[in-house]
Amino acid sequence: MATDQGKTTLDSGWFAARSNEVHFNGTQLTTTNPPSGTTLPWMEALVPGTVLGTLVKNKLVPDPFYGLGNEAILDIADSGTDYYTFWFFTSFHCKLSSNQHCDLNFRGINYSADVYLNGHKMVLPKGMFRRHSLDVTNILHPDGNNLLAVLVHPPDHPGSVPPQGGQGGDHEIGKDVATQYVLGWDWIAPIRDRNTGIWDEVSISVTGPVKIIDPHLVSSFFDNYKRVYLHATTELENRSSWTAQCSLSIHVTTELEGSIHLVEQLQTQTISVPAKSRMQYTFPELFFYKPDLWWPNGMGKQSLYNVVISIDVKGFGESDSWSHYFGFRKIESHIDSATGGRLFKVNGEPIFIRGGNWILSDGLLRLSKKRYHTDIKFHADMNFNMIRCWGGGLAERPEFYHYCDYYGLLVWQEFWITGDVDGRGDPVSNPQGPLDHDLFLFCARDTVKLLRNHPSLALWVGGNEQVPPADINDALKNDLKLHPYFEHENEKGSLSTKLGDPSQYLDGTRIYIEGSLWSGFADGKGGFSDGPYEIQNPEDFFKDSFYKYGFNPEVGSVGIPVAATIRATMPSEGWQIPLFKKLSNGYVEEIPNPIWKYHKYIPYSKPDKVHDQIQLYGAVKDLDDFCLKAQLVNFIQYRALLEGWTSRMWTKYTGVLIWKTQNPWTGLRGQFYDHLHDQTAGFYGCRCAAEPIHIQLNLATYFIEVINTTSEELSNVAIEVSVWDLEGTSPYYKTHEKLSFLPKKVTPFVEMKYPKSKNPKPVYFLLLKLYDMSDNRILSRNFYWLHLPGGDYKLLEPYRKKKIPLKITSEVFIEGSTYKLQMHVHNKAKIPDSKSLTFEHGSTGTHRDSCLVADSVETVHNGAGKGQEVGWFKKLHRHFAGKSDGSKVSEINGYDIGVAFFLNFSVHASSKDRKEGEDTRILPVHYSDNYFSLVPGEAMTIDISFETPLGVAPRVTLNGWNYHGQTIHEAL
């Protein structure tokens, strides 16, 4: 039988062997001597993947991500390129019928390859970021059984790593068009094979006589986004020897529910495609009235339409089809006159950028849809709205972009230039970039075609902290010039008659910026003005002196993971915590063990500037104690960073991108989740701070601020401010009701005066809540632990002995291996009698900048000496006090009154599945919140979702500052 038309991915059944250990050539391997995976030197291969990934999979080298394992792997600079030149072999079935054609497709090979199919040789040219499509119609075996062997060659200039290390090693890799991080950076060790391999998707695609190539979709808006036109252009190739009479159709559908789709538009055109030729065809505009728009995360829904283009050939039937999820949206940006930063607008609405820098998912390029899904959902869960794909990493894959489309993450995509490798560094690197400029431009243009239809793609950038060489830069500026419609906000008229069709451009819809420090980013002129990258005093993020430019593309800090990750990724000698060396100036220097140093640990102190933030909590006992206290610091550090930036939204800043969100290996700095996919507390600090509607404490002024980044006014809302001491009483309580806050605005509301009150406690908790008064719904909740100026948190150490009673009601929903749990956590400690509260009435009247109106205050104190509270504090407790119908109830008994502090759930294999010394965590897990605290009487519902490995039952445990690994839910 003939093979069905369409694409078939070749992602299994591959074998690999080192080339100089194979005694047959490619012709022999694919004719008379095909290899067997059970015969040396052949081994099961990882495709897509790299040579090193395959060697690790087969345990032929140590795990480079574990301990010092990478040091035991031979580097290509010492072995020579032959050592990492590998054969990859597979077989596949494809039998064609009359007038069918087959392409063999490689979406990414590093760095070049010789391809043998059924004894025929084809050469794939150099370049890591280019697609290869080979017409193999006349090479396939008539019986449909085909043998494929690929000899993959490493980059031409793999370079070496100087003894002192450095950013990008000796920078030789910059002579090729490839990833640059592979020679090591200050956050990763060198990748020994330089990512040699078939690192991206391999497929065969079967079509009829005419195939569709790289369609381009563009939308344009009129009448305030009510009228929308879709422009579509595609290239067509007729491989037959006769003129093809074709019906070319485009239809657009939207998903209503489940598998039910509504056809929004359908258009069919009759065309002729000459024999043995390519032609470009542009559809007449498709018109939509008030379609659902695509919005970034936090601004609205991510509405996606499925666009399908298909071509039928007379006498044959459907010849080819192509589909893509497409979002109607318009993105614009300009340099803001008020701040000097680049300001982005989506669908006419300004968006304050809060996001992170991304290197890549995995340093050995073990990329998968599942891993991408987790990565991108984690970013959305942090309430981020942009990811920057750094220039020393990848041109990210369509699967990455698919999930960015789905979750609403705008993407800043850089090309393969970095300041360290392409112009500065030690030794000084080559400012002329790769040796083959034409190759660089070919890869750049091919990448644009691969990614341009994704609504999440926001801008192209020439390089990281560097501009591409002049000829490349000029060519990119020309290739990526904007269509006139995208240069203006309110262009009128028909694009097709007045401005030309934007789908005729290579892109035409997104700006090109020549480098990450240019044109509204950092100082805007290329000066080295991003950073800093170290621990900071939290209050400094709020100060005017901290960063003087409008948009910081990189600012970073600490990020050590939890203790379980240290144990899972290092031998016992790596479990030693840093030495704390007291200096003569009173500051502490942290000295890490050699394994932490190799894994690029960054300390929680900065002598002469920042006192050790872990030691603020007292002496550190062991690894568990160190990592728990580090999580407290991670939470404070990153919440303060984002809150400090957001505090100056539009007045000083237009955006910030944190360096960086994750690590492509088991690094110990700058991350919100580790390589194993367990989140640090910094993840939840960001999640809190980046809420679209947010209440916060300005740590520099101690004013409470309300941030409304949405386009809707907040009205009829209330604010509750309560302070809690370590004895479980509330010495300060204040409410404000019937308030209004303008959209896209930061409003400093009222000073939190407790530190200036009589006899304030040296360490205390602050709880801020913002409510919708119409339904008691919490719009924002923010919990702080604070000390008086010049103090520390050492009084929290004895607080660990507090026994605060908790009641946890759990409901579980199971579908296959997927678990969804709701954990309703209630602090059962007695709510303090209100006579212990000090009520302060807020002022009534119009706020000084007319952004907020305080209409009334709902706190009273009767004259009989008994306090009566009728505000939102009691109402909320009543609202959440109802019993759940959950299937399991866990009680953690206790006799103390106080805050259940820094609670966090984790999911593990059940007790019956545990093995001695094994990391029992089930990862990844998605939590609606974690590392949270509850004041007396307060309750919160945490949603947890995860998949379990085959045959493993999960258990959910609870830890915290004063809780120690209680099992809350176990499925046996």
Side-chain angles (χ1 to χ4, degrees):
M1 291 182 63
T3 301
D4 291 339
Q5 289 186 183
K7 185 176 82 171
T8 301
T9 302
L10 306 181
D11 57 1
S12 62
W14 287 86
F15 306 125
R18 185 168 284 112
S19 62
N20 56 19
E21 297 176 0
V22 175
H23 304 300
F24 299 104
N25 60 34
T27 300
Q28 293 168 322
L29 291 173
T30 57
T31 53
T32 57
N33 297 94
S36 167
T38 60
T39 304
L40 292 176
W42 294 92
M43 67 194 85
E44 187 178 346
L46 193 64
V47 176
T50 63
V51 168
L52 187 54
T54 288
L55 294 173
V56 171
K57 176 183 176 71
N58 289 276
K59 295 182 168 48
L60 294 175
V61 297
D63 182 350
F65 291 7
Y66 183 85
L68 298 178
N70 196 53
E71 288 291 88
I73 301 174
L74 193 58
D75 192 86
I76 195 171
D78 301 315
S79 68
T81 56
D82 284 352
Y83 187 78
Y84 287 109
T85 301
F86 263 61
W87 280 107
F88 291 86
F89 176 89
T90 193
S91 60
F92 63 90
H93 184 85
C94 182
K95 185 176 182 180
L96 302 180
S97 63
S98 176
N99 289 320
Q100 276 190 321
H101 296 259
C102 179
D103 289 301
L104 174 61
N105 308 301
F106 297 89
R107 210 169 62 182
I109 282 190
N110 190 28
Y111 187 62
S112 61
D114 302 321
V115 176
Y116 293 83
L117 179 62
N118 300 332
H120 297 263
K121 180 180 179 180
M122 296 159 282
V123 176
L124 300 186
K126 299 173 183 178
M128 184 173 181
F129 303 111
R130 65 186 300 171
R131 293 171 293 170
H132 307 273
S133 185
L134 306 173
D135 185 350
V136 296
T137 304
N138 298 322
I139 300 174
L140 298 181
H141 276 159
D143 64 3
N145 297 312
N146 302 282
L147 303 179
L148 172 65
V150 184
L151 181 63
V152 179
H153 304 278
D156 292 345
H157 302 88
S160 61
V161 184
Q164 72 273 20
Q167 314 292 75
D170 64 359
H171 311 129
E172 282 291 295
I173 195 71
K175 293 179 179 178
D176 296 330
V177 184
T179 52
Q180 298 184 356
Y181 77 91
V182 290
L183 272 159
W185 228 266
D186 58 7
W187 41 265
I188 194 169
I191 305 298
R192 300 305 188 187
D193 69 342
R194 309 296 189 259
N195 284 159
T196 300
I198 306 173
W199 69 274
D200 200 7
E201 179 185 272
V202 184
S203 67
I204 56 169
S205 52
V206 176
T207 70
V210 180
K211 76 171 185 174
I212 297 168
I213 303 171
D214 290 334
H216 187 199
L217 308 176
V218 178
S219 55
S220 55
F221 301 84
F222 301 92
D223 298 337
N224 198 26
Y225 297 90
K226 293 180 182 177
R227 289 192 299 128
V228 182
Y229 292 92
L230 176 65
H231 314 265
T233 294
T234 186
E235 190 173 359
L236 302 170
E237 181 182 11
N238 181 3
R239 302 192 210 185
S240 70
S241 57
W242 36 269
T243 298
Q245 304 299 324
C246 305
S247 294
L248 184 65
S249 299
I250 182 170
H251 68 272
V252 182
T253 62
T254 183
E255 185 173 299
L256 296 180
E257 184 178 351
S259 59
I260 301 173
H261 291 76
L262 175 67
V263 177
E264 297 278 356
Q265 286 284 355
L266 174 63
Q267 187 183 102
T268 301
Q269 302 293 317
T270 301
I271 60 171
S272 297
V273 184
K276 300 291 184 181
S277 69
R278 287 192 177 198
M279 65 174 284
Q280 185 169 288
Y281 181 81
T282 300
F283 285 92
E285 298 167 357
L286 288 176
F287 172 73
F288 298 82
Y289 183 68
K290 290 186 177 179
D292 293 330
L293 301 183
W294 184 93
W295 293 96
N297 189 32
M299 292 184 73
K301 293 182 179 180
Q302 288 74 54
S303 298
L304 294 170
Y305 291 78
N306 191 26
V307 180
V308 179
I309 297 175
S310 59
I311 188 164
D312 281 34
V313 176
K314 187 176 180 179
F316 179 85
E318 183 175 281
S319 181
D320 197 8
S321 65
W322 174 94
S323 65
H324 201 287
Y325 281 99
F326 183 75
F328 293 114
R329 70 101 178 98
K330 181 180 182 182
I331 185 165
E332 306 162 272
S333 73
H334 64 274
I335 298 176
D336 177 46
S337 59
T339 64
R342 183 160 289 275
L343 191 154
F344 288 87
K345 287 185 175 183
V346 179
N347 303 331
E349 293 284 344
I351 175 172
F352 188 70
I353 297 296
R354 291 175 293 189
N357 284 267
W358 165 275
I359 312 303
L360 68 162
S361 183
D362 177 76
L364 301 188
L365 302 186
R366 294 169 294 195
L367 310 177
S368 70
K369 291 181 180 179
K370 186 175 181 179
R371 187 172 181 93
Y372 272 139
H373 189 189
T374 298
D375 286 325
I376 303 309
K377 188 176 188 306
F378 275 178
H379 285 73
D381 287 346
M382 285 189 282
N383 290 311
F384 284 173
N385 53 31
M386 180 176 277
I387 298 178
R388 173 191 173 214
C389 293
W390 174 74
L394 294 181
E396 266 303 347
R397 303 295 86 201
E399 293 81 5
F400 170 93
Y401 274 92
H402 168 76
Y403 290 115
C404 288
D405 295 343
Y406 186 82
Y407 286 109
L409 276 298
L410 295 170
V411 184
W412 158 333
Q413 180 68 62
E414 289 182 357
F415 296 111
W416 317 286
I417 296 288
T418 66
D420 294 283
V421 171
D422 298 291
R424 63 167 192 265
D426 180 16
V428 175
S429 53
N430 173 25
Q432 292 306 308
L435 295 179
D436 190 337
H437 288 198
D438 289 339
L439 173 60
F440 186 99
L441 287 170
F442 182 94
C443 290
R445 290 162 182 150
D446 198 52
T447 297
V448 172
K449 292 176 182 178
L450 179 67
L451 302 177
R452 62 190 176 187
N453 293 313
H454 288 278
S456 57
L457 179 56
L459 71 159
W460 304 101
V461 178
N464 165 67
E465 298 171 356
Q466 183 62 288
V467 174
D471 59 325
I472 293 177
N473 193 41
D474 289 343
L476 289 174
K477 284 181 179 179
N478 181 66
D479 288 345
L480 297 173
K481 61 181 177 292
L482 288 174
H483 181 278
Y485 167 80
F486 293 92
E487 295 177 348
H488 305 284
E489 287 190 71
N490 297 306
E491 196 68 55
K492 304 295 182 183
S494 170
L495 291 179
S496 59
T497 58
K498 291 191 175 183
L499 298 173
D501 186 343
S503 65
Q504 298 291 316
Y505 285 60
L506 181 63
D507 184 332
T509 68
R510 304 166 178 92
I511 59 167
Y512 167 74
I513 303 294
E514 57 189 357
S516 66
L517 302 178
W518 279 257
S519 303
F521 301 121
D523 74 351
K525 302 175 182 177
F528 194 67
S529 49
D530 43 11
Y533 302 92
E534 302 160 302
I535 190 77
Q536 303 294 322
N537 294 307
E539 63 271 17
D540 288 350
F541 291 114
F542 294 84
K543 295 178 180 178
D544 191 58
S545 58
F546 183 71
Y547 186 76
K548 63 183 180 179
Y549 305 110
F551 193 121
N552 194 340
E554 293 183 15
V555 57
S557 190
V558 292
I560 197 163
V562 298
T565 291
I566 298 294
R567 292 192 176 96
T569 58
M570 297 180 185
S572 57
E573 54 266 33
W575 304 352
Q576 300 300 311
I577 63 174
L579 298 174
F580 296 94
K581 180 181 178 182
K582 189 73 172 288
L583 304 180
S584 59
N585 60 6
Y587 286 84
V588 167
E589 179 186 2
E590 288 184 24
I591 303 174
N593 68 63
I595 298 179
W596 283 29
K597 186 175 181 181
Y598 189 81
H599 285 255
K600 314 296 184 177
Y601 174 77
I602 187 171
Y604 283 70
S605 64
K606 188 177 181 182
D608 299 327
K609 184 175 181 182
V610 181
H611 284 290
D612 192 273
Q613 298 292 289
I614 288 177
Q615 288 196 323
L616 286 179
Y617 295 89
V620 183
K621 301 179 185 67
D622 52 26
L623 178 65
D624 292 287
D625 192 39
F626 183 92
C627 289
L628 176 59
K629 289 172 177 173
Q631 299 317 310
L632 291 162
V633 181
N634 291 344
F635 191 103
I636 289 177
Q637 184 77 177
Y638 288 108
R639 177 177 61 181
L641 189 160
L642 283 181
E643 287 186 340
W645 244 269
T646 307
S647 181
R648 302 297 186 88
M649 180 176 70
W650 312 135
T651 59
K652 184 181 179 183
Y653 300 127
T654 59
V656 61
L657 300 175
I658 299 175
W659 182 265
K660 49 193 175 27
T661 56
Q662 43 70 252
N663 270 306
W665 83 311
T666 48
L668 300 179
R669 64 165 64 193
Q671 60 187 349
F672 300 129
Y673 59 91
D674 58 46
H675 189 260
L676 304 181
H677 273 153
D678 201 354
Q679 300 102 330
T680 73
F683 183 106
Y684 297 97
C686 288
R687 180 182 176 86
C688 172
E691 295 174 303
I693 297 171
H694 184 61
I695 187 168
Q696 68 182 39
L697 179 68
N698 186 309
L699 295 179
T701 66
Y702 263 60
F703 263 75
I704 294 168
E705 300 170 336
V706 174
I707 288 88
N708 181 9
T709 67
T710 74
S711 56
E712 301 293 330
E713 180 180 359
L714 292 179
S715 59
N716 195 30
V717 298
I719 290 174
E720 177 188 271
V721 182
S722 59
V723 169
W724 299 82
D725 61 26
L726 299 183
E727 288 71 48
T729 63
S730 180
Y732 182 92
Y733 177 77
K734 192 171 183 179
T735 60
H736 306 266
E737 292 189 15
K738 297 182 181 178
L739 310 174
S740 298
F741 297 93
L742 292 178
K744 308 288 184 182
K745 186 76 175 179
V746 176
T747 304
F749 171 54
V750 67
E751 185 179 3
M752 204 282 286
K753 295 182 180 179
Y754 175 73
K756 298 179 180 178
S757 65
K758 189 176 182 180
N759 299 320
K761 300 297 177 69
V763 175
Y764 59 94
F765 304 113
L766 171 67
L767 179 60
L768 304 177
K769 292 183 179 179
L770 181 68
Y771 299 98
D772 184 332
M773 294 182 67
S774 65
D775 58 7
N776 294 350
R777 181 167 49 95
I778 298 177
L779 301 174
S780 177
R781 178 189 182 276
N782 205 345
F783 181 89
Y784 296 83
W785 52 102
L786 299 163
H787 60 70
L788 295 180
D792 55 42
Y793 294 114
K794 291 178 181 176
L795 287 176
L796 284 175
E797 185 63 36
Y799 198 73
R800 297 172 86 160
K801 298 178 181 178
K802 286 267 189 178
K803 303 296 184 184
I804 311 297
L806 290 179
K807 179 180 179 180
I808 303 171
T809 306
S810 59
E811 295 183 75
V812 60
F813 306 91
I814 306 172
E815 184 176 340
S817 62
T818 300
Y819 281 71
K820 293 185 178 180
L821 289 87
Q822 281 195 332
M823 312 295 286
H824 185 77
V825 189
H826 180 202
N827 181 344
K828 293 183 64 180
K830 183 182 177 183
I831 302 173
D833 189 83
S834 51
K835 64 184 177 184
S836 69
L837 304 178
T838 300
F839 296 110
E840 294 188 13
H841 291 269
S843 60
T844 302
T846 304
H847 196 265
R848 61 179 178 269
D849 64 1
S850 301
C851 292
L852 174 151
V853 177
D855 199 36
S856 67
V857 176
E858 215 178 283
T859 57
V860 298
H861 196 282
N862 66 28
K866 294 181 179 178
Q868 182 185 4
E869 179 191 303
V870 295
W872 293 102
F873 184 66
K874 286 276 191 176
K875 289 181 183 179
L876 186 72
H877 291 307
R878 288 199 298 270
H879 183 67
F880 281 115
K883 292 184 178 180
S884 170
D885 295 327
S887 59
K888 293 188 180 181
V889 176
S890 299
E891 297 271 0
I892 298 176
N893 295 321
Y895 47 81
D896 290 318
I897 297 173
V899 172
F901 182 50
F902 213 54
L903 305 175
N904 72 286
F905 287 110
S906 57
V907 182
H908 300 258
S910 68
S911 54
K912 67 176 182 179
D913 299 315
R914 293 184 227 174
K915 298 178 183 177
E916 186 70 26
E918 183 183 23
D919 180 11
T920 62
R921 289 173 298 170
I922 293 173
L923 297 170
V925 181
H926 298 276
Y927 302 92
S928 62
D929 206 351
N930 221 353
Y931 294 97
F932 60 99
S933 303
L934 296 174
V935 303
E938 191 180 21
M940 183 182 294
T941 299
I942 306 296
D943 295 324
I944 305 175
S945 62
F946 55 91
E947 291 185 15
T948 58
L950 184 65
V952 172
R955 62 186 172 96
V956 180
T957 64
L958 179 71
N959 280 282
W961 189 250
N962 37 4
Y963 299 90
H964 308 291
Q966 286 93 340
T967 295
I968 302 303
H969 184 103
E970 186 159 11
L972 296 175

